[in-house]
Coordinates of all heavy atoms in Angstrom, one line a residue:
M1 N -9.1 10.4 5.9 CA -8.5 9.1 5.4 C -8.3 8.2 6.5 O -7.8 8.5 7.6 CB -7.2 9.4 4.6 CG -6.7 8.2 4.0 SD -5.3 8.5 2.9 CE -3.9 8.0 3.9
T2 N -8.7 6.9 6.3 CA -8.4 5.9 7.3 C -7.5 4.9 6.6 O -7.7 4.5 5.5 CB -9.7 5.2 7.7 OG1 -10.6 6.1 8.2 CG2 -9.5 4.1 8.7
G3 N -6.5 4.5 7.4 CA -5.5 3.6 6.7 C -4.8 2.7 7.7 O -5.1 2.7 8.9
I4 N -3.9 1.9 7.2 CA -3.1 0.9 8.0 C -1.7 1.1 7.6 O -1.4 1.4 6.5 CB -3.6 -0.5 7.8 CG1 -3.6 -0.9 6.4 CG2 -5.0 -0.7 8.4 CD1 -3.8 -2.4 6.1
V5 N -0.8 0.7 8.5 CA 0.6 0.7 8.2 C 1.0 -0.8 8.1 O 0.6 -1.6 8.9 CB 1.4 1.3 9.4 CG1 2.9 1.2 9.1 CG2 1.0 2.8 9.5
A6 N 1.6 -1.1 7.0 CA 1.9 -2.5 6.7 C 3.4 -2.7 6.3 O 4.0 -1.8 5.8 CB 1.0 -3.0 5.5
K7 N 3.9 -3.9 6.5 CA 5.2 -4.3 6.1 C 5.2 -4.2 4.5 O 4.3 -4.8 3.9 CB 5.6 -5.7 6.6 CG 7.0 -6.1 6.2 CD 7.3 -7.4 6.8 CE 8.7 -7.8 6.4 NZ 9.0 -9.2 6.9
N8 N 6.2 -3.6 3.9 CA 6.4 -3.5 2.5 C 6.8 -4.9 1.9 O 7.9 -5.3 2.1 CB 7.4 -2.4 2.1 CG 7.5 -2.2 0.7 OD1 6.9 -2.9 -0.1 ND2 8.4 -1.3 0.3
P9 N 5.9 -5.5 1.2 CA 6.2 -6.8 0.6 C 7.3 -6.8 -0.5 O 7.8 -7.9 -0.9 CB 4.9 -7.4 0.1 CG 4.1 -6.2 -0.2 CD 4.6 -5.1 0.8
F10 N 7.6 -5.6 -1.0 CA 8.5 -5.5 -2.1 C 9.8 -4.9 -1.7 O 10.6 -4.5 -2.6 CB 7.9 -4.8 -3.3 CG 6.5 -5.4 -3.7 CD1 5.4 -4.7 -3.4 CD2 6.5 -6.7 -4.2 CE1 4.2 -5.3 -3.8 CE2 5.3 -7.2 -4.5 CZ 4.1 -6.5 -4.3
M11 N 10.1 -4.7 -0.5 CA 11.4 -4.1 0.0 C 12.6 -4.9 -0.4 O 12.6 -6.1 -0.2 CB 11.4 -3.9 1.5 CG 12.6 -3.2 2.0 SD 12.5 -3.0 3.8 CE 14.2 -2.7 4.1
D12 N 13.5 -4.2 -1.1 CA 14.8 -4.9 -1.5 C 14.6 -6.1 -2.3 O 15.4 -7.0 -2.3 CB 15.7 -5.2 -0.3 CG 16.2 -4.0 0.4 OD1 16.4 -3.0 -0.2 OD2 16.3 -4.0 1.7
R13 N 13.6 -6.2 -3.1 CA 13.3 -7.3 -4.0 C 13.5 -6.9 -5.5 O 13.1 -5.8 -5.8 CB 11.9 -7.9 -3.8 CG 11.7 -8.5 -2.4 CD 10.4 -9.0 -2.2 NE 10.2 -10.2 -3.1 CZ 9.0 -10.8 -3.2 NH1 8.0 -10.4 -2.5 NH2 8.9 -11.9 -4.0
E14 N 14.1 -7.7 -6.2 CA 14.3 -7.4 -7.6 C 13.0 -7.5 -8.4 O 12.8 -6.8 -9.4 CB 15.4 -8.3 -8.2 CG 16.8 -8.0 -7.7 CD 17.9 -8.8 -8.4 OE1 17.7 -9.3 -9.5 OE2 19.0 -8.9 -7.8
S15 N 12.2 -8.5 -8.0 CA 10.9 -8.6 -8.7 C 9.8 -7.9 -8.0 O 9.7 -8.1 -6.8 CB 10.6 -10.1 -8.9 OG 10.4 -10.7 -7.7
R16 N 9.1 -7.1 -8.7 CA 8.0 -6.4 -8.1 C 7.0 -6.2 -9.2 O 7.3 -6.3 -10.4 CB 8.4 -5.0 -7.5 CG 9.1 -4.1 -8.5 CD 9.5 -2.8 -7.7 NE 10.1 -1.9 -8.7 CZ 11.4 -1.8 -8.9 NH1 12.3 -2.6 -8.3 NH2 11.9 -1.0 -9.8
P17 N 5.7 -5.9 -8.9 CA 4.7 -5.7 -9.9 C 5.0 -4.6 -10.9 O 5.7 -3.6 -10.5 CB 3.4 -5.3 -9.1 CG 3.7 -5.8 -7.7 CD 5.2 -5.7 -7.5
E18 N 4.6 -4.7 -12.1 CA 4.8 -3.7 -13.1 C 4.2 -2.4 -12.6 O 3.1 -2.3 -12.2 CB 4.2 -4.1 -14.4 CG 4.5 -3.1 -15.5 CD 3.9 -3.6 -16.8 OE1 3.8 -4.8 -17.0 OE2 3.6 -2.7 -17.7
G19 N 5.0 -1.3 -12.7 CA 4.5 0.0 -12.3 C 4.7 0.4 -10.8 O 4.4 1.5 -10.4
W20 N 5.1 -0.6 -10.0 CA 5.4 -0.3 -8.6 C 6.5 0.7 -8.5 O 7.5 0.6 -9.1 CB 5.8 -1.6 -7.9 CG 6.0 -1.4 -6.4 CD1 7.2 -1.4 -5.8 CD2 5.1 -1.3 -5.4 NE1 7.1 -1.3 -4.4 CE2 5.7 -1.2 -4.2 CE3 3.7 -1.2 -5.4 CZ2 5.1 -1.0 -2.9 CZ3 3.0 -1.1 -4.2 CH2 3.7 -1.0 -3.0
P21 N 6.3 1.8 -7.8 CA 7.3 2.9 -7.7 C 8.6 2.4 -7.1 O 8.6 1.9 -6.0 CB 6.6 3.9 -6.8 CG 5.2 3.6 -6.8 CD 5.1 2.1 -7.0
S22 N 9.7 2.5 -7.8 CA 11.0 1.9 -7.4 C 11.5 2.6 -6.2 O 12.2 2.0 -5.4 CB 12.0 2.0 -8.5 OG 12.2 3.4 -8.9
H23 N 11.1 3.9 -5.9 CA 11.7 4.5 -4.7 C 11.1 3.9 -3.4 O 11.6 4.2 -2.4 CB 11.5 6.0 -4.8 CG 10.0 6.5 -4.7 ND1 9.2 6.5 -5.8 CD2 9.3 6.9 -3.7 CE1 8.0 6.9 -5.5 NE2 8.0 7.2 -4.2
L24 N 10.1 3.1 -3.5 CA 9.5 2.4 -2.3 C 10.3 1.2 -2.0 O 10.1 0.6 -0.9 CB 8.0 2.1 -2.5 CG 7.1 3.3 -2.6 CD1 5.7 2.8 -2.8 CD2 7.2 4.2 -1.4
D25 N 11.2 0.8 -2.8 CA 12.0 -0.4 -2.6 C 12.8 -0.4 -1.3 O 13.1 -1.4 -0.7 CB 13.0 -0.7 -3.7 CG 12.3 -1.2 -5.0 OD1 11.1 -1.4 -5.0 OD2 13.0 -1.2 -6.0
K26 N 13.1 0.8 -0.8 CA 14.0 0.9 0.4 C 13.1 1.2 1.7 O 13.7 1.4 2.7 CB 15.0 2.0 0.2 CG 16.0 1.7 -0.9 CD 16.8 0.5 -0.6 CE 17.7 0.1 -1.8 NZ 18.2 -1.2 -1.7
S27 N 11.8 1.3 1.5 CA 11.0 1.6 2.7 C 10.5 0.3 3.3 O 9.9 -0.6 2.6 CB 9.8 2.4 2.2 OG 8.9 2.6 3.3
D28 N 10.7 0.0 4.6 CA 10.3 -1.2 5.2 C 8.8 -1.2 5.5 O 8.2 -2.2 5.6 CB 11.1 -1.6 6.4 CG 11.1 -0.5 7.5 OD1 10.7 0.7 7.2 OD2 11.4 -0.8 8.6
L29 N 8.2 0.0 5.6 CA 6.7 0.1 5.9 C 6.1 1.0 4.8 O 6.7 1.9 4.2 CB 6.5 0.8 7.2 CG 7.0 0.0 8.4 CD1 6.8 0.9 9.7 CD2 6.4 -1.3 8.6
I30 N 4.8 0.7 4.5 CA 4.0 1.5 3.6 C 2.7 1.8 4.3 O 2.2 1.0 5.1 CB 3.7 0.8 2.3 CG1 3.1 -0.6 2.4 CG2 5.0 0.8 1.4 CD1 2.8 -1.3 1.1
V31 N 2.2 3.0 4.1 CA 0.9 3.4 4.6 C -0.2 3.2 3.5 O 0.0 3.6 2.4 CB 0.9 4.9 5.0 CG1 -0.5 5.3 5.6 CG2 2.0 5.1 6.1
C32 N -1.2 2.4 3.9 CA -2.2 2.0 2.9 C -3.6 2.7 3.3 O -4.0 2.6 4.4 CB -2.4 0.5 2.9 SG -0.9 -0.4 2.5
D33 N -4.2 3.3 2.3 CA -5.5 3.8 2.4 C -6.5 2.5 2.4 O -6.2 1.6 1.6 CB -5.8 4.7 1.2 CG -7.2 5.4 1.3 OD1 -7.8 5.4 2.4 OD2 -7.6 5.9 0.3
L34 N -7.5 2.5 3.2 CA -8.4 1.3 3.2 C -9.5 1.6 2.2 O -10.2 2.6 2.2 CB -9.0 1.1 4.6 CG -8.1 0.4 5.6 CD1 -8.9 0.3 7.0 CD2 -7.7 -0.9 5.2
R35 N -9.7 0.6 1.3 CA -10.7 0.7 0.3 C -12.1 0.5 0.9 O -13.0 1.2 0.6 CB -10.5 -0.3 -0.8 CG -11.4 -0.3 -1.9 CD -11.0 -1.3 -3.0 NE -12.2 -1.6 -3.8 CZ -12.5 -2.8 -4.2 NH1 -11.7 -3.8 -3.9 NH2 -13.6 -3.0 -4.9
S36 N -12.2 -0.5 1.8 CA -13.4 -0.7 2.6 C -13.1 -0.5 4.0 O -12.1 -1.0 4.5 CB -13.9 -2.2 2.3 OG -14.1 -2.4 1.0
H37 N -14.0 0.2 4.7 CA -13.8 0.5 6.1 C -14.6 -0.4 7.0 O -15.6 -1.0 6.6 CB -14.1 2.0 6.4 CG -13.3 2.9 5.6 ND1 -12.2 3.5 6.0 CD2 -13.5 3.3 4.3 CE1 -11.7 4.2 5.1 NE2 -12.4 4.2 4.0
H38 N -14.1 -0.6 8.2 CA -14.7 -1.4 9.3 C -14.6 -0.6 10.6 O -13.7 0.2 10.7 CB -14.2 -2.8 9.4 CG -12.7 -2.9 9.6 ND1 -12.1 -2.6 10.8 CD2 -11.7 -3.1 8.7 CE1 -10.8 -2.7 10.7 NE2 -10.5 -3.0 9.4
P39 N -15.4 -0.9 11.6 CA -15.3 -0.2 12.8 C -13.9 -0.4 13.5 O -13.3 -1.5 13.3 CB -16.4 -0.8 13.7 CG -17.4 -1.3 12.7 CD -16.6 -1.7 11.5
Y40 N -13.4 0.5 14.2 CA -12.1 0.5 14.8 C -11.9 -0.8 15.6 O -10.9 -1.4 15.5 CB -11.9 1.7 15.7 CG -10.6 1.7 16.5 CD1 -9.4 1.9 15.8 CD2 -10.6 1.4 17.8 CE1 -8.2 1.9 16.5 CE2 -9.4 1.4 18.6 CZ -8.2 1.6 17.9 OH -7.1 1.6 18.6
G41 N -12.9 -1.2 16.4 CA -12.7 -2.4 17.3 C -12.9 -3.7 16.6 O -12.8 -4.8 17.2
E42 N -13.1 -3.7 15.3 CA -13.4 -4.9 14.5 C -12.3 -5.2 13.4 O -12.6 -5.3 12.3 CB -14.8 -4.9 13.9 CG -15.9 -4.8 14.9 CD -17.3 -4.7 14.2 OE1 -17.4 -5.0 13.0 OE2 -18.2 -4.3 14.9
A43 N -11.1 -5.2 13.9 CA -9.9 -5.4 13.0 C -10.1 -6.7 12.3 O -10.6 -7.7 12.8 CB -8.6 -5.3 13.7
R44 N -9.6 -6.8 11.0 CA -9.6 -8.0 10.2 C -8.3 -8.8 10.5 O -7.3 -8.3 10.9 CB -9.8 -7.7 8.8 CG -11.0 -6.9 8.4 CD -12.2 -7.6 8.9 NE -13.4 -6.9 8.5 CZ -14.4 -6.6 9.3 NH1 -14.3 -6.9 10.6 NH2 -15.5 -5.9 8.9
D45 N -8.4 -10.1 10.1 CA -7.2 -11.0 10.3 C -6.1 -10.6 9.3 O -4.9 -10.8 9.6 CB -7.6 -12.5 10.1 CG -8.5 -13.0 11.2 OD1 -8.4 -12.4 12.3 OD2 -9.2 -13.9 11.0
H46 N -6.5 -10.2 8.1 CA -5.5 -9.8 7.1 C -6.1 -8.8 6.2 O -7.3 -8.6 6.1 CB -5.1 -11.1 6.3 CG -6.2 -11.7 5.5 ND1 -7.1 -12.6 6.1 CD2 -6.6 -11.5 4.2 CE1 -8.0 -12.9 5.2 NE2 -7.7 -12.3 4.0
Y47 N -5.2 -8.1 5.5 CA -5.5 -7.2 4.4 C -4.8 -7.5 3.2 O -3.7 -8.2 3.3 CB -5.2 -5.7 4.9 CG -5.9 -5.3 6.1 CD1 -5.4 -5.6 7.4 CD2 -7.1 -4.6 6.0 CE1 -6.1 -5.1 8.5 CE2 -7.8 -4.2 7.1 CZ -7.3 -4.5 8.4 OH -8.0 -4.0 9.5
R48 N -5.2 -7.1 2.0 CA -4.6 -7.4 0.8 C -4.3 -6.1 0.0 O -5.2 -5.2 0.0 CB -5.4 -8.3 -0.1 CG -5.6 -9.7 0.6 CD -6.4 -10.6 -0.2 NE -6.7 -11.7 0.6 CZ -6.7 -13.0 0.1 NH1 -6.5 -13.2 -1.2 NH2 -6.9 -14.0 0.9
L49 N -3.2 -6.1 -0.6 CA -2.9 -4.9 -1.5 C -3.9 -4.9 -2.6 O -4.0 -5.9 -3.4 CB -1.4 -5.0 -2.0 CG -0.9 -3.9 -2.9 CD1 -1.0 -2.6 -2.2 CD2 0.4 -4.2 -3.4
F50 N -4.6 -3.9 -2.8 CA -5.6 -3.8 -3.9 C -5.1 -3.1 -5.1 O -5.1 -3.6 -6.2 CB -6.9 -3.1 -3.4 CG -7.9 -3.0 -4.4 CD1 -8.7 -4.1 -4.7 CD2 -8.2 -1.8 -5.0 CE1 -9.7 -4.0 -5.7 CE2 -9.2 -1.7 -6.0 CZ -10.0 -2.8 -6.3
N51 N -4.5 -1.9 -5.0 CA -3.9 -1.2 -6.1 C -3.0 -0.1 -5.6 O -3.0 0.2 -4.4 CB -4.9 -0.8 -7.1 CG -5.7 0.4 -6.6 OD1 -5.8 0.7 -5.4 ND2 -6.4 1.1 -7.5
W52 N -2.4 0.6 -6.5 CA -1.7 1.9 -6.1 C -1.8 2.8 -7.3 O -2.1 2.4 -8.4 CB -0.2 1.6 -5.8 CG 0.5 1.0 -6.9 CD1 1.2 1.7 -7.9 CD2 0.7 -0.4 -7.2 NE1 1.8 0.8 -8.8 CE2 1.5 -0.5 -8.4 CE3 0.3 -1.5 -6.6 CZ2 1.8 -1.7 -9.0 CZ3 0.7 -2.7 -7.2 CH2 1.4 -2.8 -8.3
E53 N -1.7 4.1 -6.9 CA -1.8 5.2 -7.9 C -0.6 6.1 -7.7 O -0.1 6.2 -6.6 CB -3.0 6.0 -7.7 CG -4.3 5.2 -7.8 CD -5.5 6.0 -7.2 OE1 -5.3 7.0 -6.6 OE2 -6.6 5.5 -7.5
T54 N 0.0 6.6 -8.8 CA 1.1 7.5 -8.6 C 0.7 8.8 -9.4 O -0.1 8.8 -10.4 CB 2.4 7.0 -9.2 OG1 2.2 6.6 -10.6 CG2 2.8 5.7 -8.4
S55 N 1.3 9.9 -9.0 CA 1.2 11.2 -9.7 C 2.5 11.9 -9.5 O 3.1 11.9 -8.5 CB 0.0 11.9 -9.1 OG -0.2 13.1 -9.7
Q56 N 2.9 12.6 -10.6 CA 4.1 13.4 -10.6 C 3.8 14.8 -10.3 O 2.9 15.4 -10.8 CB 4.8 13.3 -11.9 CG 5.7 12.1 -12.2 CD 6.8 11.9 -11.2 OE1 7.0 10.8 -10.7 NE2 7.6 12.9 -11.0
T57 N 4.7 15.4 -9.5 CA 4.7 16.9 -9.3 C 6.0 17.3 -9.9 O 6.8 16.5 -10.4 CB 4.5 17.3 -7.9 OG1 5.7 16.9 -7.2 CG2 3.3 16.7 -7.2
S58 N 6.3 18.6 -9.8 CA 7.5 19.1 -10.4 C 8.8 18.6 -9.6 O 9.8 18.5 -10.2 CB 7.5 20.6 -10.4 OG 7.4 21.1 -9.1
D59 N 8.6 18.2 -8.4 CA 9.8 17.8 -7.6 C 9.5 16.5 -6.8 O 10.4 16.1 -5.9 CB 10.2 18.9 -6.7 CG 9.1 19.3 -5.7 OD1 8.0 18.9 -5.8 OD2 9.5 20.1 -4.8
A60 N 8.4 15.8 -7.0 CA 8.2 14.6 -6.2 C 7.2 13.6 -6.9 O 6.5 14.1 -7.8 CB 7.6 15.0 -4.8
T61 N 7.2 12.4 -6.5 CA 6.2 11.4 -6.9 C 5.3 11.1 -5.7 O 5.8 10.8 -4.7 CB 6.9 10.1 -7.4 OG1 7.8 10.4 -8.5 CG2 5.9 9.1 -7.8
I62 N 4.0 11.3 -5.9 CA 3.1 11.0 -4.9 C 2.5 9.6 -5.1 O 2.2 9.2 -6.3 CB 1.9 12.0 -5.0 CG1 2.4 13.4 -5.0 CG2 0.9 11.7 -3.8 CD1 3.3 13.8 -3.8
V63 N 2.4 8.8 -4.1 CA 2.0 7.4 -4.2 C 0.8 7.2 -3.2 O 0.9 7.6 -2.1 CB 3.1 6.4 -3.9 CG1 2.6 5.0 -4.0 CG2 4.3 6.6 -4.7
R64 N -0.3 6.6 -3.7 CA -1.4 6.2 -2.9 C -1.5 4.7 -3.0 O -1.8 4.2 -4.1 CB -2.7 6.9 -3.3 CG -3.9 6.4 -2.5 CD -5.2 7.1 -3.0 NE -6.3 6.6 -2.3 CZ -7.4 6.1 -2.9 NH1 -7.4 6.0 -4.2 NH2 -8.4 5.6 -2.2
V65 N -1.3 4.0 -1.9 CA -1.4 2.6 -1.9 C -2.7 2.2 -1.2 O -3.1 2.8 -0.2 CB -0.2 1.9 -1.1 CG1 -0.3 0.4 -1.0 CG2 1.1 2.4 -1.7
V66 N -3.5 1.3 -1.8 CA -4.8 1.0 -1.3 C -4.9 -0.5 -0.9 O -4.4 -1.4 -1.7 CB -5.9 1.3 -2.4 CG1 -7.3 1.0 -1.9 CG2 -5.8 2.7 -2.9
A67 N -5.4 -0.8 0.2 CA -5.6 -2.1 0.7 C -7.1 -2.4 1.0 O -7.9 -1.5 1.1 CB -4.8 -2.3 2.0
D68 N -7.4 -3.7 1.0 CA -8.8 -4.1 1.2 C -8.7 -5.4 2.1 O -7.7 -6.0 2.2 CB -9.5 -4.3 -0.1 CG -11.0 -4.2 0.1 OD1 -11.5 -4.0 1.2 OD2 -11.7 -4.3 -1.0
W69 N -9.8 -5.8 2.6 CA -9.9 -7.0 3.4 C -10.9 -7.9 2.9 O -11.6 -7.7 2.0 CB -10.2 -6.6 4.9 CG -11.4 -5.7 5.1 CD1 -11.3 -4.3 5.1 CD2 -12.7 -6.0 5.2 NE1 -12.5 -3.7 5.3 CE2 -13.5 -4.7 5.4 CE3 -13.5 -7.1 5.3 CZ2 -14.8 -4.6 5.5 CZ3 -14.8 -7.0 5.5 CH2 -15.5 -5.8 5.6

């Protein structure tokens, strides 16, 4: 997996997208999987939140946040 670490745009905010996992509200950073990849030395000026997926286990919620450029 290749990803980026990004500032969480929904930290401590009352309004967030429908379905956004509420337990991420207190995290200042999120790790995003990159939907489209580029060479290491060719970083982009910006990335955009593309989507997220959640899955429940018996004792945790798993979240996959996806970004694209």
Side-chain angles (χ1 to χ4, degrees):
M1 181 170 105
T2 303
I4 56 172
V5 177
K7 184 177 177 181
N8 182 357
F10 306 112
M11 182 180 164
D12 292 330
R13 294 180 67 184
E14 290 185 21
S15 63
R16 60 183 180 267
E18 184 177 333
W20 182 254
S22 62
H23 67 276
L24 293 181
D25 289 352
K26 298 298 179 196
S27 177
D28 57 342
L29 300 173
I30 52 176
V31 178
C32 301
D33 185 17
L34 283 178
R35 183 175 157 221
S36 301
H37 299 266
H38 55 76
Y40 176 74
E42 297 178 18
R44 303 301 184 232
D45 291 335
H46 64 276
Y47 297 88
R48 295 179 189 219
L49 179 64
F50 181 73
N51 73 344
W52 62 87
E53 304 167 346
T54 61
S55 182
Q56 277 300 129
T57 68
S58 59
D59 59 349
T61 300
I62 307 303
V63 181
R64 177 179 176 238
V65 180
V66 181
D68 205 353
W69 47 273

